Amino acid sequence: MSACGETSAVDGKTSAVASAVNDTHGHTPYEAFSAADNEKDSEGNDTHDEHGEDEDDVVNLTEAEAREAGIELSEAKLAEIGQSLSLPAEIRFDADRVANVSPKVSGVVAKLYASEGDHVKRGQTLALISSRDLAGLKAAWQKGETGKALAAQALAREEQLWADKITSEADVQAARAEFEAAKAASDAAENELHAAGVSHEALEKVATARDGDNANSYLT
């Protein structure tokens, strides 16, 4: 009797397990095994193993099973991010789109035509600088031009007197030397102005500029 009771208990557990693992098609374990075991092709060959290899990476779920597993399907679209993250940072300008521009003369910024952050183009005027140094360079150039003109007149007069046999050759050579010195001084002053950003067109307006304008330098 004792042995029979134990056998009955084991059979009861087996029946419970069998009932709990019915497959999704409603088969009992035995029926499911029998159906899979009997899968054969038209020639009588067993196709169960090959079929299983093809479906190793494929999982088929019904809508109810997917819902129970927490899987949701939705169409990808633009939307606002639901979360934000605050971090310390430093905002800088794009280094490829920023240029450091320095004036060629010292002075005081009298007027700004563009401020930090503005988009500017090549050659655009950024600021007006009032420079005493620039005014001094232009005054030196004007003095050099005047000295060169007077030396040129003196040389022309000495050459005429030499042609008329009135003056000596030494006086002509002295006048020529004075002219070359005056010309060199004028050229040096002009080169300094060009280095300061003054063009030939601007030099032509130096003599007729209004008071104070010769100290103006435009930063571009």
Side-chain angles (χ1 to χ4, degrees), residues 51-65:
H51 185 67
E53 291 177 357
D54 294 340
E55 294 186 354
D56 282 346
D57 297 332
V58 179
V59 177
N60 295 319
L61 298 176
T62 64
E63 292 185 6
E65 291 170 338

Side-chain angles (χ1 to χ4, degrees), residues 1-119:
M1 294 297 290
S2 176
C4 292
E6 291 177 1
T7 303
S8 176
V10 173
D11 291 341
K13 291 180 179 179
T14 304
S15 177
V17 172
S19 176
V21 295
N22 288 345
D23 68 1
T24 57
H25 299 291
H27 300 301
T28 63
Y30 176 78
E31 291 171 338
F33 175 79
S34 298
D37 188 55
N38 292 330
E39 287 183 0
K40 298 180 182 298
D41 58 13
S42 59
E43 297 179 358
N45 298 322
D46 190 354
T47 61
H48 177 68
D49 292 340
E50 296 178 359
H51 185 67
E53 291 177 357
D54 294 340
E55 294 186 354
D56 282 346
D57 297 332
V58 179
V59 177
N60 295 319
L61 298 176
T62 64
E63 292 185 6
E65 291 170 338
R67 212 168 29 248
E68 184 177 354
I71 300 174
E72 296 182 4
L73 298 180
S74 61
E75 182 180 354
K77 59 183 178 180
L78 295 176
E80 294 184 1
I81 298 177
Q83 297 180 349
S84 61
L85 184 63
S86 299
L87 296 173
E90 181 179 353
I91 299 177
R92 296 181 179 180
F93 290 110
D94 185 356
D96 294 333
R97 301 178 61 84
V98 175
N100 294 320
V101 182
S102 301
K104 296 182 178 181
V105 293
S106 61
V108 178
V109 177
K111 187 175 182 180
L112 284 175
Y113 298 99
S115 59
E116 187 176 11
D118 290 347
H119 291 273

Side-chain angles (χ1 to χ4, degrees), residues 99-171:
N100 294 320
V101 182
S102 301
K104 296 182 178 181
V105 293
S106 61
V108 178
V109 177
K111 187 175 182 180
L112 284 175
Y113 298 99
S115 59
E116 187 176 11
D118 290 347
H119 291 273
V120 296
K121 299 179 180 180
R122 181 183 296 274
Q124 181 175 337
T125 302
L126 303 179
L128 170 62
I129 299 175
S130 179
S131 174
R132 181 181 299 178
D133 294 341
L134 180 61
L137 290 176
K138 290 180 178 180
W141 175 74
Q142 284 184 293
K143 182 179 180 180
E145 285 290 287
T146 301
K148 183 176 69 172
L150 293 176
Q153 293 176 1
L155 176 60
R157 183 173 59 255
E158 291 295 331
E159 289 177 340
Q160 183 61 44
L161 292 175
W162 167 250
D164 295 338
K165 306 296 183 179
I166 299 176
T167 188
S168 64
E169 183 178 0
D171 292 338

